[in-house]
Amino acid sequence: MKLIAFQVERFRNILDSGVIPIDDSITCLVGKNESGKTNLLHALHLIKPAPVSREFDEHQYTRWLLRGDQRSGVFGKTSPIGVWFELTDQE
């Protein structure tokens, strides 16, 4: 499988990244300091962790939305990371 796109919502300081396509040759994240570049990578790491297991919890939820979203039920329904894969010919 090949990752072709991903989207991050309500994860750390990212409200909605929109769909980010992954190019065959190169994909580059560019932005100001504290704009969420590293948080996008942390979110992707949750999809297929290396040796360390990471799980989504309330500490990674967008902090200023957490209490209200817990009360309204949005927190329990949140799926912060969406990914799109493409199968290769062999798969």
Side-chain angles (χ1 to χ4, degrees):
M1 278 191 293
K2 180 174 110 178
L3 179 67
I4 59 171
F6 69 99
Q7 180 174 6
V8 178
E9 295 179 290
R10 294 178 185 252
F11 182 81
R12 297 186 178 187
N13 70 334
I14 301 169
L15 288 179
D16 185 356
S17 68
V19 176
I20 299 171
I22 304 296
D23 189 89
D24 283 343
S25 56
I26 189 167
T27 298
C28 182
L29 299 174
V30 178
K32 295 181 179 182
N33 290 345
E34 299 184 16
S35 62
K37 300 178 299 289
T38 302
N39 288 334
L40 288 172
L41 297 176
H42 283 295
L44 280 176
H45 180 74
L46 289 172
I47 300 303
K48 184 176 180 195
V52 178
S53 177
R54 302 182 92 186
E55 295 181 10
F56 176 71
D57 60 27
E58 68 181 36
H59 299 292
Q60 296 170 330
Y61 200 77
T62 306
R63 189 165 294 156
W64 63 89
L65 297 176
L66 179 61
R67 296 295 171 228
D69 285 0
Q70 283 175 325
R71 283 187 218 106
S72 70
V74 171
F75 176 78
K77 299 174 187 173
T78 298
S79 179
I81 301 130
V83 292
W84 291 263
F85 290 97
E86 180 178 89
L87 295 175
T88 63
D89 291 336
Q90 294 83 13
E91 295 169 320

